[in-house]
Amino acid sequence: MNLLEYLNQNYLMLVPALWVLGFALKQTPAIPNWMIIWVLLFVSITVGSLTFGFSYEGLINGITAAGVAVLGHQMVKQALLGSGSRKK
């Protein structure tokens, strides 16, 4: 299943922007890790809706863009850490 097939091409620019924002939030001690996904989701929906219009499709694409960004980050993180990060 390729999530990018479900994401409108206009929203593709949000994915790397969300990665950068997520990295910045991760470096900010005042933001707990659990809150980062919610901030990214809010920003994605807000920016997408303001840029491409308030609609059901805009909402779904905002959610999908945030999901692709988080999933992509986790895939890279898990691939780089590999099995060395397993708890014993």
Side-chain angles (χ1 to χ4, degrees), residues 23-43:
F23 178 79
L25 291 172
K26 183 76 172 166
Q27 306 305 314
T28 306
I31 306 291
N33 287 339
W34 65 267
M35 192 180 290
I36 294 173
I37 179 66
W38 298 108
V39 171
L40 294 179
L41 180 63
F42 175 78
V43 168

Side-chain angles (χ1 to χ4, degrees), residues 1-8:
M1 178 176 177
N2 186 0
L3 283 178
L4 292 177
E5 291 177 11
Y6 297 99
L7 187 62
N8 185 314

Side-chain angles (χ1 to χ4, degrees), residues 13-73:
M13 59 83 180
L14 274 176
V15 175
L18 292 171
W19 271 33
V20 171
L21 178 60
F23 178 79
L25 291 172
K26 183 76 172 166
Q27 306 305 314
T28 306
I31 306 291
N33 287 339
W34 65 267
M35 192 180 290
I36 294 173
I37 179 66
W38 298 108
V39 171
L40 294 179
L41 180 63
F42 175 78
V43 168
S44 180
I45 291 171
T46 303
V47 169
S49 294
L50 290 173
T51 306
F52 304 111
F54 294 97
S55 66
Y56 177 74
E57 184 179 336
L59 175 69
I60 296 301
N61 276 290
I63 293 169
T64 305
V68 168
V70 172
L71 175 66
H73 171 264

